[in-house]
Amino acid sequence: MLAAKPSDPLYYQARQHVLYSNDPGISHLQRRLRIGYQRAIALRDALAGDAVEYRSDTDSWQIHPQADRVTDFLIEDKLAHAAQLIYNAKALVIAAGAGIGIDSGLPDYRGDEGFWRAYPALGRSRLRFESIASPQAYQERPATAWGFYGHRLSLYRATTPHSGFDLLHAWGQRMQQGCFVFTSNVDGHFQKAGFPSARVYECHGSLHRLQCTANCQGSIWSTVDLYPQVNEAACEWLGELPTCPHCGALARPNIQMFDDWHWNEKRSAQQRMLLDMWLDSAQAPLVIEIGAGRALPTVRNFTRRMQQRGSRLIRINLHEANIHNPGDIELALGANEALEGIAAQLLQHG
Ligand SMILES: [Zn+2]
């Protein structure tokens, strides 16, 4: 790493282009940065020992084998650029995955170990998240499935969405054509943060709605009157299990679970229709994608379609950002840190 601040303001951009393309050539630098030959030579000389090295045995420049590709030296520039895009945008889409919730203190179930730490009773039975959040669990061990669901419902009700939600809400309100949320999260936190229900598409449903396991009449009802009593040590629902008001069959959450062919997607489909109508009227809205991983790609696929329609992207993802993406802005930060960072830059726009 460099001890002193580089003298050329294009230093870090040059560094990124060289590492991203694996091309230490002078003409490449000239083209990408639109600079003259002398300045490109000086920049590459300055990058020696950091991103590139001169090999006398082959009389050629190479990428430095120990170059730091993890640190994003352009992060401040990117936060400023993101603020600029938000300031100029007329419409905003927020595309959110599980990563946005972590800053509110919600658990991150990465792998069985993390999940079983949060639910020791399920760990003792070696029940994985995919097994307990499944229609089969509601059939085979309904008290446990409801115990798990009841605990989650109480947890999400008790959790306040972090301040990043408020920032997003404020930005959306300033947009001429407003804002729409596309989320794979089932926690209802966008509505809790003040986003109107008619502007939220929950593609996997909502924990705050129930449906019939027999799907008798296709109705979906609210959990507003449901007060879960759960034996947490055993992960068991206490008392009578909630049933369908029409046919008396067992009720279940209206969320898309694993291997779920019985999810009633009516409500979600209506939300989707509202989103599509709004997209028809909003021209290439700016997309801020937050905490959407590659493992469950629903949100990322949506983002890609928006890009194909001409939308610019600001991606916030602590673990899966491509920080060298020259076309869009990708920030390898947590949701709250990134949003607060952009907000600080936006203040300078008055
Ligand atoms: Zn029913």
Side-chain angles (χ1 to χ4, degrees):
M1 255 321 296
L2 292 176
K5 206 168 186 276
S7 56
D8 193 319
L10 287 180
Y11 180 89
Y12 288 118
Q13 276 195 51
R15 186 182 189 284
Q16 172 172 312
H17 285 307
V18 165
L19 286 178
Y20 180 64
S21 61
N22 281 316
D23 183 352
I26 287 301
S27 59
H28 170 248
L29 270 183
Q30 285 184 258
R31 207 167 49 243
R32 294 313 295 260
L33 298 171
R34 298 194 193 115
I35 54 175
Y37 180 75
Q38 291 303 334
R39 193 173 178 192
I41 288 278
L43 267 169
R44 189 175 61 185
D45 284 346
L47 285 167
D50 176 14
V52 297
E53 63 175 6
Y54 176 71
R55 298 279 299 272
S56 52
D57 51 342
T58 54
D59 186 26
S60 65
W61 288 86
Q62 309 278 340
I63 300 294
H64 198 293
Q66 268 104 48
D68 173 2
R69 293 168 188 263
V70 178
T71 311
D72 190 351
F73 296 100
L74 291 170
I75 195 81
E76 285 301 319
D77 292 355
K78 289 205 243 173
L79 290 170
H81 189 190
Q84 186 76 48
L85 288 181
I86 291 167
Y87 185 75
N88 292 329
K90 294 189 170 57
L92 175 68
V93 171
I94 298 158
I100 194 175
I102 293 165
D103 289 332
S104 303
L106 291 172
D108 180 13
Y109 305 139
R110 273 170 195 255
D112 295 336
E113 292 310 317
F115 179 62
W116 289 336
R117 254 195 308 279
Y119 296 95
L122 301 181
R124 284 193 295 277
S125 320
R126 314 306 284 173
L127 269 170
R128 310 174 63 205
F129 179 61
E130 293 85 343
S131 311
I132 198 64
S134 74
Q136 205 181 345
Y138 282 81
Q139 256 174 21
E140 292 173 358
R141 48 181 101 230
T144 310
W146 266 96
F148 175 59
Y149 166 69
H151 176 264
R152 277 180 91 197
L153 182 63
S154 301
L155 175 70
Y156 289 151
R157 279 178 175 171
T159 305
T160 305
H162 58 77
S163 59
F165 282 87
D166 301 327
L167 290 172
L168 291 167
H169 186 233
W171 298 342
Q173 283 199 310
R174 265 201 22 216
M175 305 270 167
Q176 225 172 68
Q177 293 172 289
C179 157
F180 215 109
V181 174
F182 181 120
T183 181
S184 60
N185 297 333
V186 295
D187 53 28
H189 274 185
F190 280 98
Q191 291 93 328
K192 202 171 184 179
F195 288 79
S197 302
R199 289 290 180 89
V200 179
Y201 168 44
E202 297 163 299
C203 68
H204 291 163
S206 169
L207 272 180
H208 306 284
R209 294 289 186 285
L210 299 177
Q211 66 167 85
C212 171
T213 47
N215 226 342
C216 62
Q217 297 192 9
S219 43
I220 293 169
W221 63 96
S222 167
T223 58
V224 68
D225 296 324
L226 190 68
Y227 301 99
Q229 300 290 319
V230 175
N231 174 347
E232 292 196 14
C235 192
E236 291 276 323
W237 181 270
L238 297 172
E240 276 185 45
L241 293 170
T243 52
C244 168
H246 303 292
C247 73
L250 186 68
R252 53 160 275 188
N254 181 229
I255 53 179
Q256 186 174 29
M257 298 187 275
F258 294 90
D259 298 318
D260 193 351
W261 307 106
H262 304 290
W263 178 47
N264 180 350
E265 56 184 319
K266 194 168 68 184
R267 178 171 173 272
S268 191
Q270 281 163 354
Q271 294 176 331
R272 176 73 212 212
M273 212 168 61
L274 291 177
L275 169 61
D276 287 340
M277 279 164 59
W278 182 82
L279 284 176
D280 282 342
S281 67
Q283 273 148 25
L286 175 66
V287 178
I288 305 183
E289 183 199 276
I290 308 168
R294 294 192 192 98
L296 295 163
T298 321
V299 177
R300 285 219 175 193
N301 290 343
F302 168 73
T303 299
R304 194 173 314 114
R305 286 199 300 278
M306 292 300 298
Q307 288 177 283
Q308 285 161 356
R309 293 169 58 152
S311 282
R312 297 296 307 273
L313 168 68
I314 300 168
R315 170 171 287 141
I316 298 169
N317 196 311
L318 185 55
H319 303 291
E320 294 175 280
N322 167 14
I323 64 167
H324 297 306
N325 181 346
D328 287 297
I329 301 172
E330 302 204 25
L331 305 164
L333 299 172
N336 213 6
E337 189 183 3
L339 295 169
E340 298 280 1
I342 295 170
Q345 296 283 345
L346 263 172
L347 282 178
Q348 295 170 23
H349 290 274

